Amino acid sequence: TQLLEQSPQFLSIQEGENLTVYCNSSSVFSSLQWYRQEPGEGPVLLVTVVTGGEVKKLKRLTFQFGDARKDSSLHITAAQPGDTGLYLCAGVRKTSYDKVIFGPGTSLSVIP
Amino acid sequence: DAEITQSPRHKITETGRQVTLACHQTWNHNNMFWYRQDLGHGLRLIHYSYGVHDTNKGEVSDGYSVSRSNTEDLPLTLESAASSQTSVYFCASSESTGADTQYFGPGTRLTVL
C-alpha cells in the first residue's frame, strides 16, 4: 500500500503548455519535499514546504502544501524540454527519527 | 566540490552470490541512506546511518546489511543475491535529520540473474 500517491503517473505535453501534478496521502506530514530526477541520475531536491497552505515558487514552478498537510501540488507554467524528468514527492513524518516516505513519481516529458 | 559517488554504476551477478555496492561522500555528512528504486514503488529505504558505527534498518532491509566504519563510506552488502533484488540502488547523505536536504549519488543498476 502506497502511503503517498502521485498523479498522473505519466504526462506528455507540448512545450509551452501548463501542467499540474499531485501528491496525495491519508497521512499528515510535518513537511513535504519535491525532487526531480533525470534519467541515469539521482534525485535532486527542488523545494521543501513546511506550513499547511504554504506556497513556494521556483521560477516557473509553483509548489503548494495542502491546508491539512496531507497533500501537495506542483504546477509548471509554460513547460520547457528542460523540465523533462521524474518528479518525486516525499513526505516527512516525525517519529523517533525523521521518516521520509517517497511517492512513486510522475514522469514528465515535454516535447519541443 | 563536495560530492557523493557510487560504484560500480552497473553490476550483473548471479543468484546466491555476495555483492557489495560502494558509496562515498565528501560532504562530511553524518547521515547516510541507502534506497532502492523500482517502477511503481518510488524510493524505498533499505538502511540508514546517523554516524560512525551507527546503522539502522529501513522498510525493506531483509537480505541487506551495511557497516559504517568512517564518516565518508556506507557500503551496502547483499549477502546472497536474489532475483527480487534486481533494482537501481541510490545512496544519499544529509547534514542533519532525514528531513534535511538529501544529496543523492548517481545510482547503481544491479541485475541478479
Side-chain angles (χ1 to χ4, degrees):
Chain A
T1 303
Q2 283 283 2
L3 288 179
L4 265 176
E5 297 181 345
Q6 292 188 242
S7 61
Q9 186 177 1
F10 299 97
L11 187 57
S12 181
I13 62 171
Q14 294 292 132
E15 181 176 359
E17 293 183 355
N18 302 331
L19 66 116
T20 302
V21 298
Y22 300 92
C23 174
N24 296 291
S25 176
S26 57
S27 299
V28 176
F29 296 106
S30 59
S31 62
L32 195 135
Q33 302 170 329
W34 284 92
Y35 287 80
R36 180 169 65 205
Q37 183 179 14
E38 299 187 15
E41 299 182 8
V44 176
L45 181 69
L46 295 173
V47 76
T48 300
V49 285
V50 179
T51 307
E54 182 177 3
V55 176
K56 279 192 174 180
K57 292 190 176 183
L58 186 64
K59 297 184 180 178
R60 294 175 293 101
L61 279 61
T62 302
F63 305 85
Q64 184 163 8
F65 201 12
D67 291 341
R69 291 186 286 128
K70 294 182 179 181
D71 54 81
S72 181
S73 63
L74 158 59
H75 181 79
I76 301 179
T77 303
Q80 298 178 1
D83 296 326
T84 293
L86 180 69
Y87 288 82
L88 297 161
C89 66
V92 181
R93 296 173 67 184
K94 286 195 175 293
T95 57
S96 55
Y97 64 97
D98 284 328
K99 185 175 183 179
V100 181
I101 301 165
F102 282 85
T106 292
S107 180
L108 171 65
S109 177
V110 181
I111 303 166
Chain B
D1 288 346
E3 62 178 356
I4 180 165
T5 57
Q6 294 183 235
S7 61
R9 293 296 311 277
H10 298 88
K11 174 77 175 178
I12 299 174
T13 191
E14 296 177 342
T15 301
R17 289 190 179 269
Q18 185 181 78
V19 176
T20 297
L21 308 183
C23 175
H24 180 80
Q25 54 100 359
T26 58
W27 291 97
N28 199 33
H29 287 161
N30 285 325
N31 305 325
M32 296 184 72
F33 309 85
W34 272 105
Y35 294 90
R36 59 178 291 174
Q37 186 174 38
D38 304 286
L39 191 63
H41 288 278
L43 289 159
R44 291 183 290 175
L45 184 64
I46 305 171
H47 281 286
Y48 60 100
S49 168
Y50 283 159
V52 177
H53 302 310
D54 176 73
T55 61
N56 305 280
K57 294 181 178 180
E59 61 179 306
V60 290
S61 61
D62 288 349
Y64 303 94
S65 64
V66 293
S67 62
R68 187 90 180 271
S69 59
N70 58 53
T71 300
E72 296 80 18
D73 299 289
L74 187 70
L76 177 71
T77 297
L78 287 69
E79 302 294 343
S80 178
S83 58
S84 60
Q85 294 177 308
T86 292
S87 186
V88 181
Y89 291 86
F90 288 97
C91 179
S93 71
S94 70
E95 181 176 5
S96 178
T97 67
D100 200 359
T101 302
Q102 292 192 39
Y103 296 89
F104 284 83
T108 294
R109 182 174 294 277
L110 176 67
T111 302
V112 183
L113 301 176

